[in-house]
Amino acid sequence: QLQLVESGGGLVQAGGSLRLSCAASGHTFSSLAMGWFRQAPGKEREFVAAISGSGGQTYYADSVKGRVTISRDNAKNTMYLQMNKLKPDDTAVYYCAADRRSDTLYSDYDRREAFDSWGQGTQVTVSS
């Protein structure tokens, strides 16, 4: 059974950087399309970034484009989210997601329904 475990969250000042990691087990990692979502208090969970199984496709939310890089190391069964120039609005719980059905991202890559497995989340807090 696929398990996803996020790490790397924490408290950082505005303008700072963090790198989140998502370690996967129980499934062939390279066969998973994956993504990052986030949920701030009182708000809906929203798309941040997504990456295909090979890493050849990547997509970003407009709100993070240019500040965030999604990547993966299939040899280490780990996906990353490098976040730079963090803003207080980036404060949220960040969730790792995976699609066991496909290694390819389709037009619904920014929707929660595109992913069928989720981690427990890691808190990111950006102070002003």
Side-chain angles (χ1 to χ4, degrees), residues 75-90:
K76 295 183 178 180
N77 292 350
T78 303
M79 176 180 66
Y80 304 99
L81 189 70
Q82 177 67 45
M83 301 189 294
N84 301 321
K85 300 179 182 179
L86 283 161
K87 307 174 182 179
D89 283 350
D90 294 318

Side-chain angles (χ1 to χ4, degrees), residues 57-105:
Q57 294 173 290
T58 56
Y59 297 100
Y60 297 92
D62 288 343
S63 59
V64 302
K65 200 171 294 183
R67 300 188 296 118
V68 164
T69 302
I70 189 171
S71 63
R72 63 193 296 160
D73 186 337
N74 287 348
K76 295 183 178 180
N77 292 350
T78 303
M79 176 180 66
Y80 304 99
L81 189 70
Q82 177 67 45
M83 301 189 294
N84 301 321
K85 300 179 182 179
L86 283 161
K87 307 174 182 179
D89 283 350
D90 294 318
T91 294
V93 177
Y94 283 71
Y95 295 92
C96 166
D99 181 5
R100 291 174 296 174
R101 300 158 293 187
S102 177
D103 63 350
T104 300
L105 296 169

